[in-house]
Amino acid sequence: MQPSGKPALPREKTIGILGGGQLGRMLAMAAGRMGFNTIILDPTENCPARQFANEQIVANYDNDTALKLLAKRCFVTTYEFENIPVSSTRFLESNCKIHPGSKALETSQDRLTEKQFLVSAGLNTAEFVPVLNRAELDAALQKTGLPAILKTRRLGYDGKGQIRLERENLDGMPEKIDDILQTDCILESMVDFECEISIIGARNMDGQTACFDPARNTHEDGILVQSVVPCGLADEITQQARIQTERLMQELDYIGVIGVEFFVLKTGDLLINEFAPRVHNSGHWTEAACLISQFEQHIRAITGQPLGLSCRHSNCLMQNLIGDSINDIAKYAAGKNTLVHDYGKQEIRAGRKMGHFTTISPRN
Ligand code: AMP
């Protein structure tokens, strides 16, 4: 018994999750259904994952005491977003277990190391050049041409930390360019893609791999709005995307679920935009259209179990409810073939992911 009188959670059944947003929430739901307990580490009290987790440690991700406590109370840990300090995952690697490991996290935290890693693994990306200042930007633009995208190397998400440079606006935005160049950046050539797809892959401790069908994704202002499955592309293209995802997992010696985003060129060739070493927004549909969701697949992988089936029983469309569109959730919930999630976030903000729904239809 603990001092409070509450029985302690058995360590061998308890998973620690760094990050308590909607992804942590859905991981906690899947883990709970499979008989595991979860402890969330997140600095925000009553974060979205708290409602479905057994406990929350309210502390920053680099708090030594909190990390020690998590390592003591959990048999394995994982994370739901990329901006966890690598020093924290290294600590958990040495004092407990953490999947995916620090290598995948560290590589994906910096757009430059991520792209260099992809290239070294024989995978294609948009052309990119590291840029530290205005002079380097001018030189880099000679290589990429215009239009191009200038992105911060770290901490960018949902289209934040990037600006599009076009011939017409280049001279008119020196301040914006100077602002973004306060931090290390990369310049990417603008890809004239046919569409964007993503693959949710999984790899377990025995090296078993599984990939869900690719989703065709639509973004607005850099934020994912919709994922549709099947993606409607030729089998050779989707097969290529699977092969590349598997190669990436192999190269990273990966354990867990990964989200890999691709640009599909008009020629059918693929470029990898980025990968996320975690469950991914464009994989939410798996919960409605597959027997085993990305969340269950991740819990299976990190707890040393065999992976489940990754095939789907239905076609589907997943749509994010962003900002005040969450107020329409009852309308979607009224659909007989629609699964809804409200993330329980206290405050509605423009551009904030508040929930999502997935509508299924018979498989073709
Ligand atoms: P990111 O933050 O890199 O995932 O970018 C968000 C979205 O911006 C992507 O999903 C694309 O729609 C678009 N984007 C990013 N990089 C490029 C690029 N090099 N060429 C064309 N579109 C891009």
Side-chain angles (χ1 to χ4, degrees), residues 111 149 151 162 164 188-189 191 196 219 263 273-274:
R111 290 185 193 275
I149 306 194
K151 299 181 179 179
Q162 51 183 268
R164 289 174 180 237
E188 290 180 23
S189 59
V191 179
E196 291 183 83
H219 296 83
F263 297 133
N273 175 30
E274 60 182 4

Side-chain angles (χ1 to χ4, degrees), residues 111 114-115 125-127 147-151 156-162 164 187-193 196 217-224 261-263 271-275 280:
R111 290 185 193 275
E114 182 182 40
K115 288 205 162 54
T125 67
E127 196 170 346
I149 306 194
L150 184 63
K151 299 181 179 179
Y157 70 99
D158 284 349
K160 294 187 175 68
Q162 51 183 268
R164 289 174 180 237
L187 184 72
E188 290 180 23
S189 59
M190 183 80 80
V191 179
D192 183 19
F193 53 75
E196 291 183 83
N217 300 322
T218 313
H219 296 83
E220 275 170 29
D221 299 329
I223 304 178
L224 179 70
E261 297 179 22
F262 296 88
F263 297 133
L271 302 180
I272 297 185
N273 175 30
E274 60 182 4
F275 67 88
H280 196 255

Side-chain angles (χ1 to χ4, degrees), residues 17 38 91 106 231 234 252-253 256 275 286 295-296 303 324 327 336 345 361:
I17 303 176
T38 47
F91 175 87
E106 192 168 24
C231 65
L252 287 166
D253 203 11
F275 67 88
T286 58
F295 305 104
E296 172 159 347
T303 56
D324 54 17
N327 294 328
K336 289 195 175 68
K345 294 183 182 175
S361 54

Side-chain angles (χ1 to χ4, degrees), residues 134 166-177:
R134 190 64 204 238
E166 289 168 50
R167 204 165 298 286
E168 310 79 61
N169 68 10
L170 194 56
D171 296 333
M173 55 163 68
E175 257 176 50
K176 273 194 182 166
I177 294 176

Side-chain angles (χ1 to χ4, degrees), residues 99-166:
H99 301 306
S102 300
K103 181 178 174 184
L105 180 73
E106 192 168 24
T107 307
S108 70
Q109 277 181 342
D110 180 331
R111 290 185 193 275
L112 180 61
T113 56
E114 182 182 40
K115 288 205 162 54
Q116 286 169 335
F117 185 85
L118 290 166
V119 170
S120 72
L123 302 165
N124 292 329
T125 67
E127 196 170 346
F128 61 94
V129 189
V131 165
L132 294 178
N133 53 46
R134 190 64 204 238
E136 288 191 7
L137 175 61
D138 291 339
L141 282 167
Q142 300 298 317
K143 288 194 189 153
T144 62
L146 284 165
I149 306 194
L150 184 63
K151 299 181 179 179
T152 57
R153 281 172 53 178
R154 293 178 162 271
L155 301 176
Y157 70 99
D158 284 349
K160 294 187 175 68
Q162 51 183 268
I163 44 176
R164 289 174 180 237
L165 306 178
E166 289 168 50

